[in-house]
Amino acid sequence: MAVRSARPSLYISVDIEADGPIPGPYSMISFGAAVAGRQDGASYTAADPEQHTFYRELRPIGDEYVPEALAVSGLDRDRLVREGAEPAAAMAEFRAWVREVSAGAQPVMCGYPASFDWTFLYWYLMRFGGDSPFGHSGCLDMKTLYAAKARVPLRAAVKGRMPKQLLSRRRHTHHALDDAIEQAELMSNLMLWTPPVGPGAAG
């Protein structure tokens, strides 16, 4: 029996800003996405992360928020209540965008770390529309990717310990689109990186 070849993967870097630690009681107030690159078998092709992007600021879904979490984004919650996109409309637009840019490939969300951003993104996709273009598990954590390639413990997979050539030269601004683009560059650098051989060589 012939083995069916896997579809190419299109990696989409996503960064979210939220006003609390978990979705539901708290809100995702903005999110940005940037196409990082495409993997077809063993071959990875980096994309220009500024070429295909998506960004929305969202109306909060409740009254609860953590001031310290809100302050990280620098967004005005009162303005978002008045002017933020309706979550259902924003998620429908995002689904359409993901399917457009990933035509012919399987979209994979990637983040640094993915756990926080994926929690909010997947919850919003399912709560507002009941469908995720990434499926229920189509996410890749860049911290885990680095830890596996560098052969270091996950707790040691921090940007301050990564080789400088892996890091984007862009600033981490806590604007969701800026950070998604920055992380897209990190993703491509990680995918194309061959760690040096030897004890501690990747550190």
Side-chain angles (χ1 to χ4, degrees), residues 4-195:
R4 188 176 67 176
S5 59
R7 293 170 64 195
S9 292
L10 187 86
Y11 293 101
I12 299 174
S13 170
V14 177
D15 183 80
I16 76 103
E17 298 296 331
D19 63 12
I22 57 172
Y26 304 101
S27 304
M28 180 167 71
I29 52 177
S30 71
F31 70 109
V35 172
R38 180 184 175 102
Q39 183 179 18
D40 193 350
S43 175
Y44 180 86
T45 303
D48 174 354
E50 293 184 333
Q51 185 174 1
H52 297 292
T53 63
F54 186 95
Y55 178 72
R56 291 292 183 275
E57 295 178 358
L58 304 177
R59 179 182 57 78
I61 59 174
D63 296 329
E64 292 187 57
Y65 67 95
V66 177
E68 294 82 2
L70 179 64
V72 170
S73 70
L75 293 172
D76 183 329
R77 200 173 192 275
D78 291 337
R79 180 183 65 79
L80 294 177
V81 169
R82 298 190 308 270
E83 303 173 6
E86 289 294 327
M91 302 322 289
E93 292 166 351
F94 181 61
R95 284 186 202 93
W97 178 83
V98 170
R99 287 175 174 136
E100 178 184 353
V101 298
S102 64
Q106 179 66 42
V108 178
M109 176 270 191
C110 55
Y112 181 92
S115 53
F116 179 78
D117 302 85
W118 174 256
T119 298
F120 274 89
L121 183 69
Y122 183 71
W123 190 93
Y124 265 71
L125 285 166
M126 298 307 294
R127 173 65 180 82
F128 299 104
D131 177 54
S132 166
F134 305 103
H136 69 277
S137 61
C139 65
L140 185 149
D141 177 38
M142 294 183 214
K143 286 175 67 72
T144 303
L145 177 61
Y146 173 74
K149 293 191 80 168
R151 298 189 176 187
V152 299
L154 186 63
R155 291 289 186 182
V158 295
K159 290 180 181 178
R161 295 187 181 182
M162 290 183 182
K164 297 298 184 185
Q165 70 268 23
L166 293 180
L167 303 177
S168 170
R169 294 182 180 180
R170 301 173 191 266
R171 289 194 313 116
H172 193 80
T173 66
H174 292 290
H175 182 284
L177 182 55
D178 288 349
D179 292 352
I181 291 171
E182 176 214 355
Q183 290 172 177
E185 292 187 340
L186 173 61
M187 176 64 185
S188 289
N189 291 342
L190 284 169
M191 290 294 287
L192 295 169
W193 180 51
T194 300

